[in-house]
Amino acid sequence: MNNPDSLVIDSLPFYQWDTSACELPQHEVNVGIPLDSIFRPFDTLDTIFRQSMFSDHSLALHHHGLLPRPDTFPQIWIFLLLTAICALLCIYFRTHNIKPLELLKSTIDRRVMDRLLRDNNLNRTPPLIPMGFFVVATVSLFSHQAAMPHTGLPGYGILAGALLLAYLLRNAILRLLGNIFDNQPAISLYIVNNYLYHLLLASILLFLLFPMVYFEAARNVFIYIIGALIALEFLIRFVRGSKLFLTQTKNSGIYLFYYLCTVEIVPILVFVHWIISQ
């Protein structure tokens, strides 16, 4: 092992380099194996330039930098609004001691409805008005998310305000017609029936709005379900309300019934036309 002619591997470093890419170190003794002495050097191709397919077109360039990724997650105000409606609805049910099963029965049984109004102090108009607020808030949120979600919170506020104004105006017109035709008890009964149906509709819509907003894969499915539910509620409510109205009306009530149909149906047709146009 002490023979100077012998090769001691541990004493010599092992290098691998490409002499075509870098200069070899200058040593008195070659202590490495260059790759180009073993393999054929790679051929370097010239850069090929091709004409861009977007060079001659009629579309003007508007963005020169990177575009931010669109945020498709629902905004925080939607969650806060749904939570606030849910909390207020629970407080309203608790305050007036309204049981959901009793509310459901009152929509199909006149005696249950009278007992619910009497026992829960709902015979006056002020306790009934929050029912209208609840249905306006939920229907407005559904319409906003289905037709105009890009408008954000200002768009929802304008839509909810317009629907609330139309809701109160409709009730005012119904009461005015009842006074004109001297048939106020029948109109009052019809309006009370509407309030109960609207409270039930708002309670159901509130639970369906959560998966509609936060379950993106089934968003369109829930839109159709809620739309069909609103249409079904309107049909059943109008038939039940007409039955209650005709049982309480006087001889001249048939003319009032024509106006009642006009006041109920025309706003619905206008609203549906606006939803479809969006």
Side-chain angles (χ1 to χ4, degrees), residues 1-237:
M1 295 299 292
N2 295 326
N3 190 346
D5 296 335
S6 63
L7 179 64
V8 180
I9 303 299
D10 296 338
S11 63
L12 296 176
F14 182 78
Y15 296 100
Q16 283 187 339
W17 60 78
D18 188 356
T19 57
S20 62
C22 61
E23 296 182 357
L24 291 174
Q26 300 298 326
H27 297 286
E28 296 180 357
V29 179
N30 189 0
V31 294
I33 302 176
L35 292 179
D36 58 354
S37 65
I38 301 176
F39 303 103
R40 185 175 63 87
F42 295 101
D43 296 332
T44 304
L45 300 178
D46 295 335
T47 304
I48 300 176
F49 297 93
R50 293 185 175 90
Q51 184 178 4
S52 174
M53 59 183 296
F54 302 102
S55 59
D56 298 328
H57 59 82
S58 59
L59 298 178
L61 181 62
H62 298 286
H63 303 283
H64 298 276
L66 297 177
L67 295 178
R69 178 177 296 179
D71 186 10
T72 58
F73 192 78
Q75 298 177 351
I76 188 62
W77 67 266
I78 300 178
F79 176 76
L80 296 177
L81 179 63
L82 288 173
T83 305
I85 296 174
C86 184
L88 293 175
L89 194 62
C90 293
I91 293 174
Y92 184 81
F93 272 86
R94 182 69 175 177
T95 302
H96 294 279
N97 196 22
I98 301 176
K99 297 180 175 57
L101 184 59
E102 198 77 8
L103 176 63
L104 180 62
K105 291 180 180 179
S106 67
T107 58
I108 56 177
D109 192 338
R110 170 67 185 278
R111 290 182 296 180
V112 177
M113 183 180 72
D114 294 337
R115 184 172 65 249
L116 177 66
L117 297 175
R118 182 183 66 251
D119 296 343
N120 297 281
N121 194 23
L122 298 174
N123 291 318
R124 298 175 294 108
T125 301
L128 297 174
I129 292 180
M131 300 181 184
F133 290 164
F134 289 132
V135 74
V136 167
T138 52
V139 172
S140 298
L141 184 58
F142 161 71
S143 304
H144 177 269
Q145 292 299 304
M148 44 187 290
H150 57 279
T151 59
L153 182 58
Y156 170 78
I158 296 174
L159 178 61
L163 290 182
L164 180 60
L165 181 62
Y167 188 88
L168 297 177
L169 182 61
R170 187 201 64 165
N171 287 347
I173 293 176
L174 290 177
R175 295 188 184 278
L176 178 62
L177 292 175
N179 292 329
I180 293 174
F181 288 91
D182 193 21
N183 210 339
Q184 189 63 35
I187 285 294
S188 298
L189 184 62
Y190 181 83
I191 293 176
V192 169
N193 177 74
N194 290 348
Y195 275 125
L196 295 178
Y197 269 90
H198 289 158
L199 180 61
L200 181 62
L201 177 64
S203 303
I204 298 175
L205 288 186
L206 185 60
F207 291 100
L208 294 179
L209 284 174
F210 278 98
M212 172 190 161
V213 173
Y214 294 102
F215 190 18
E216 186 66 26
R219 175 185 178 87
N220 293 332
V221 175
F222 279 98
I223 288 177
Y224 289 120
I225 292 176
I226 295 177
L229 181 63
I230 294 176
L232 181 63
E233 183 271 341
F234 170 77
L235 181 62
I236 298 176
R237 175 177 60 82

Side-chain angles (χ1 to χ4, degrees), residues 170-178 181 183 186-194 234 237-247 249 252-268:
R170 187 201 64 165
N171 287 347
I173 293 176
L174 290 177
R175 295 188 184 278
L176 178 62
L177 292 175
F181 288 91
N183 210 339
I187 285 294
S188 298
L189 184 62
Y190 181 83
I191 293 176
V192 169
N193 177 74
N194 290 348
F234 170 77
R237 175 177 60 82
F238 184 72
V239 172
R240 172 83 191 295
S242 301
K243 180 180 178 181
L244 294 175
F245 173 81
L246 294 175
T247 56
T249 189
S252 62
I254 189 65
Y255 301 103
L256 179 58
F257 181 72
Y258 293 151
Y259 289 105
L260 182 65
C261 295
T262 303
V263 173
E264 283 284 356
I265 295 177
V266 171
I268 297 296

